Amino acid sequence: MVLEATMIVVDNSESSRNGDYVPSRFEAQADAVNLIFQAKTQSNPESSVGLMSMGGAGPEVLTTLTTDIGKILDGLHRTKIKGSSHVSTGINIAALALKHRQNKSQRQRIIVFTCSPIAEDEKAMEKLAKRMKKNNICIDFIAFGDLSDDTTKKLETFNDNIKGGEGSNLAIIPPGPNLLSDSIVTTPILAGEGMGGGAGMGGAGGEAGPGADNDLGFDPSMDPELAIALRMSLEEENARKERERKEQEEKEGKTNLEGIPEGDEKQPLLNQDGEPSGSAESQPNAAGEKKDKDDEDKMDTA
């Protein structure tokens, strides 16, 4: 799978207090962040994920690139809801964090959650998209909530100017009965991680095809939590089989070694003639020489 360094930018502006997503917009983002982290790290254990917020007085890096989910959850716990969002500044800071990643072979990706109006104008968004594309950074937008036509148009303009062969996506998810994380599973944002289906840009994403996940045997979009549980179960089963195979190989190798006869530890390696003491030719001579020596050692007591 793709080796990536991903910065997730959450919207912690006042708009994230809204309860049109269960239990709230911000809590829905936190649940989705956990899902994205699991998808990225399970797809490739060497992939790393960072977290930052873009609300309040200004964007803040909450967690640098890591493979520890505990650090991501801690960053979410420390996030306060306040102020308005700063999309452009947040993306620029996220790009700077990716630039300083330790593993330069990782592809760069930014996933931005937005549920509030975008202050930047359409031209500024277009310029930002071209700059990110020049730096080979993929950017996925997850737009949710009651978005105005002006906000939607800005996001579509950004996506049209950045999308390319590397894959940048826009998912617009309207309020509904489903959890935000469940809706993200069906978008192209997680399709590359084997968790979603091929959805079109500019919508909440299409349903995954019947054969979208052949190893599970069913459409994961119908029950994302079950799909994740089954995938983890399969990975654990494969790991168990691999351990058993290695243990069996080690056991067979030990058995083969036990079949090799060991020499007498008390027996010297070389006899008096410098010949190996364990050779067949030297054994009779050694026995004769020992007998002669014993005879010489006997004292004449007559």
Side-chain angles (χ1 to χ4, degrees):
M1 291 294 184
V2 179
L3 176 62
E4 283 188 337
T6 305
M7 285 298 298
I8 302 177
V9 184
V10 295
D11 188 346
N12 62 322
S13 63
E14 290 292 339
S15 297
S16 64
R17 295 185 186 274
N18 198 310
D20 52 352
Y21 290 83
V22 179
S24 68
R25 290 182 179 180
F26 183 78
E27 293 297 332
Q29 290 181 82
D31 184 43
V33 167
N34 188 16
L35 174 69
I36 293 172
F37 179 91
Q38 299 294 345
K40 295 293 182 182
T41 54
Q42 288 179 15
S43 174
N44 192 319
E46 294 185 7
S47 293
S48 55
V49 180
L51 180 70
M52 62 177 294
S53 60
M54 63 177 182
E60 177 185 1
V61 176
L62 303 170
T63 306
T64 56
L65 293 170
T66 181
T67 56
D68 184 359
I69 183 62
K71 295 181 179 180
I72 299 294
L73 297 178
D74 178 67
L76 288 170
H77 181 71
R78 291 186 285 106
T79 305
K80 305 297 181 182
I81 299 176
K82 56 183 178 179
S84 58
S85 63
H86 307 271
V87 175
S88 180
T89 307
I91 291 176
N92 283 320
I93 293 177
L96 187 62
L98 290 174
K99 183 180 180 181
H100 292 89
R101 66 195 186 282
Q102 293 182 348
N103 188 351
K104 298 301 182 181
S105 61
Q106 291 175 323
R107 288 185 178 181
Q108 303 175 89
R109 181 175 296 275
I110 301 173
I111 299 179
V112 184
F113 287 88
T114 179
C115 60
S116 57
I118 297 177
E120 291 79 3
D121 58 25
E122 192 173 333
K123 189 173 183 180
M125 293 294 288
E126 180 181 348
K127 184 178 180 181
L128 176 63
K130 291 180 178 179
R131 182 163 66 251
M132 293 298 109
K133 185 176 182 180
K134 183 179 180 181
N135 293 329
N136 296 321
I137 299 176
C138 301
I139 298 182
D140 297 325
F141 263 102
I142 300 175
F144 62 105
D146 295 324
L147 302 175
S148 65
D149 293 338
D150 180 58
T151 299
T152 302
K153 188 176 181 181
K154 291 176 181 178
L155 293 173
E156 290 176 347
T157 299
F158 183 93
N159 186 261
D160 289 339
N161 283 275
I162 194 173
K163 66 180 180 180
E166 298 296 327
S168 294
N169 305 285
L170 168 63
I172 299 178
I173 304 175
N178 294 332
L179 296 174
L180 179 62
S181 56
D182 292 349
S183 300
I184 293 175
V185 170
T186 63
T187 66
I189 294 174
L190 291 184
E193 316 304 327
M195 298 189 66
M201 183 279 296
E207 295 295 330
D213 206 328
N214 294 328
D215 58 339
L216 298 181
F218 75 101
D219 184 359
S221 63
M222 300 301 294
D223 194 338
E225 293 183 359
L226 177 60
I228 295 175
L230 288 176
R231 190 178 302 280
M232 293 178 66
S233 178
L234 286 174
E235 291 177 354
E236 291 175 357
E237 179 66 14
N238 292 334
R240 183 186 66 80
K241 290 181 178 179
E242 182 67 17
R243 287 196 303 270
E244 290 180 352
R245 184 184 64 81
K246 291 182 178 179
E247 290 175 358
Q248 184 65 22
E249 290 179 353
E250 292 177 357
K251 186 177 179 180
E252 291 176 355
K254 185 176 181 181
T255 302
N256 294 335
L257 289 175
E258 289 176 351
I260 301 176
E262 297 182 1
D264 187 359
E265 296 181 356
K266 297 181 179 180
Q267 183 179 5
L269 297 178
L270 299 178
N271 58 21
Q272 295 179 352
D273 296 332
E275 297 293 335
S277 59
S279 62
E281 296 81 358
S282 63
Q283 289 177 358
N285 294 335
E289 291 174 359
K290 183 177 181 182
K291 184 178 180 180
D292 295 341
K293 186 176 181 181
D294 292 341
D295 292 342
E296 292 176 358
D297 291 340
K298 291 181 180 178
M299 295 178 63
D300 186 5
T301 58

